[in-house]
Amino acid sequence: MSPRRNRPRGGAEHQADAPREFVGDRYGLEHSESWQGEDWAVRTVGGGAAAKHYRCPGCDQEIPPGVPHLVAWPLHGGGVEDRRHWHKACWNAKDRRSARLQRSRNAPRY
């Protein structure tokens, strides 16, 4: 019995010529999205790079250190102070959420 082939046929030269597609879930890569008529820059942050506590504007819950999430800011005219840290699920559901924040009675108001 011959061993299993672990590399695709064609070698490294064949793969170098193939176009690479952008994968939005790769950590640290930035891409732009349109939301509410504005262009936003979105960057994914891996768990190892998340060193502080952040508050997600989508669900108003805390993002603890070590949790992968994403950072979004307006592409035109947005500075460092305009960056917001979101849970990935909250960013994906931003159009389905209501505009009014809904906190529990025991949730902190900061």
Side-chain angles (χ1 to χ4, degrees):
M1 182 183 324
S2 62
R4 186 178 78 185
R5 185 181 288 267
N6 288 329
R7 282 178 255 129
R9 294 178 190 251
E13 303 87 11
H14 181 68
Q15 290 181 355
D17 296 337
R20 299 181 86 190
E21 292 185 24
F22 173 74
V23 179
D25 290 342
R26 301 274 313 260
Y27 293 119
L29 292 180
E30 185 177 314
H31 65 280
S32 62
E33 291 185 24
S34 181
W35 179 48
Q36 294 182 343
E38 192 172 1
D39 290 329
W40 292 77
V42 179
R43 181 182 300 156
T44 54
V45 178
K52 297 183 349 184
H53 288 270
Y54 300 103
R55 176 133 336 245
C56 176
C59 64
D60 200 38
Q61 298 296 313
E62 197 171 81
I63 303 173
V67 173
H69 60 280
L70 54 87
V71 181
W73 65 93
L75 197 57
H76 303 291
V80 175
E81 63 277 353
D82 294 328
R83 285 191 255 172
R84 298 293 174 255
H85 295 255
W86 292 72
H87 293 106
K88 186 175 179 183
C90 295
W91 177 258
N92 292 338
K94 62 190 174 292
D95 293 326
R96 296 187 303 263
R97 292 187 180 274
S98 66
R100 188 173 158 264
L101 287 176
Q102 297 178 0
R103 293 186 179 102
S104 68
R105 289 183 179 156
N106 297 330
R109 302 220 179 257
Y110 54 86

